[in-house]
Amino acid sequence: MKKIFKLMFLFSMLISLNAFASTELSKSEVNELGKLPIFFGSGMKVLKAYKEDNFYLLRVNIQENIQELVLTADKKYLIAGKIYNVVSGEQVSIPNDVSILVDKEVLTYGTGNDVYYLFTDPECPYCKKFESYFDQIKNDVQFKIFFFPLSFHKNAIPLSKYILSFKSNEDRVKALLSVNPETKEYLDKTYTKAQDTALTNVIDAQMKLGEKLGVRGTPTLYDIHGKALSWVKVLERYGVEVK
């Protein structure tokens, strides 16, 4: 067991692939993988698996924490870490079931034809960096935005509540793009107990959606097929240079 988890720290290598020509395993095949000693009786459950020439990519539930793990083709080693295509630079990952997100977003940005699902934190510096480029791609994309306030950002939940307190999508977008912990209107905002409870419930529901998809940080971005994407790569797709 110790040897396997030591390997998790060693998995910083990049696997060279021209494409992720994966084959999804059947339910019976997934159950067979679940009988491996590392999984059997450990509390870890294999939910989904894809087979590539060199490895298996697994989605595993580990004590209610959804993670993607790599199983070597010989089934001898289980490795935690991200796999990247060294040609495209894109992460290789199991497509997520984003059907659970349909019509659950709290705001929408952009008028383009290319739809993406974005989990964001109003206090996340990387999210704010991504947002600083929104205006350059607003005619190409349509972001369906979900809140996923991170626990170590003390203002994330209050900022989320402030944005959600606005009724129209336009006002929510303006608030998202302009508010920060020093914003006077945010600092002066008060809520009734009923309002605060309602806003908390919305945020909790958004968090649960993210948790079901295995979101662990922000910004987390998916395309309509459930593929996890790098926000930098998405910007580059539309000719935007990230500085």
Side-chain angles (χ1 to χ4, degrees), residues 4 14 27 34 62 72 74 79 95 107 111-112 139 160 168 174 206 209 231:
I4 290 173
L14 300 180
K27 185 175 181 179
I62 305 175
T72 55
D74 59 11
I79 308 167
L107 64 145
T111 59
N139 296 323
S160 298
S168 73
K174 287 180 180 178
Q206 296 268 294
L209 288 172
W231 63 271

Side-chain angles (χ1 to χ4, degrees), residues 119 148 150 214-220:
F119 283 85
F148 197 82
L150 302 174
V215 175
R216 293 190 293 275
T218 57
T220 292

Side-chain angles (χ1 to χ4, degrees), residues 75-157:
K75 301 181 183 178
K76 289 185 176 180
Y77 299 100
L78 186 67
I79 308 167
K82 295 180 180 180
I83 305 175
Y84 293 91
N85 182 312
V86 297
V87 177
S88 68
E90 292 188 347
Q91 180 184 341
V92 177
S93 61
I94 292 177
N96 292 272
D97 180 13
V98 292
S99 65
I100 66 171
L101 302 180
V102 176
D103 297 328
K104 301 290 179 58
E105 68 274 7
V106 289
L107 64 145
T108 301
Y109 180 90
T111 59
N113 294 322
D114 297 341
V115 176
Y116 300 94
Y117 298 102
L118 172 63
F119 283 85
T120 191
D121 173 334
E123 198 177 12
C124 166
Y126 300 103
C127 299
K128 305 313 289 184
K129 179 73 172 179
F130 185 26
E131 291 166 10
S132 70
Y133 294 97
F134 276 12
D135 188 62
Q136 298 182 53
I137 58 174
K138 63 183 179 183
N139 296 323
D140 300 305
V141 305
Q142 187 177 153
F143 290 132
K144 304 291 187 179
I145 298 177
F146 301 78
F147 282 138
F148 197 82
L150 302 174
S151 60
F152 52 86
H153 288 153
K154 65 178 183 179
N155 296 295
I157 289 178

Side-chain angles (χ1 to χ4, degrees), residues 158-171:
L159 286 169
S160 298
K161 289 181 179 180
Y162 173 76
I163 296 165
L164 291 172
S165 70
F166 292 93
K167 301 302 181 183
S168 73
N169 185 75
E170 181 181 4
D171 287 339

Side-chain angles (χ1 to χ4, degrees), residues 45-58:
K45 182 178 181 181
V46 182
L47 305 176
K48 186 177 289 190
Y50 282 72
K51 178 68 173 65
E52 239 293 335
D53 289 339
N54 304 311
F55 58 90
Y56 295 88
L57 188 58
L58 314 179

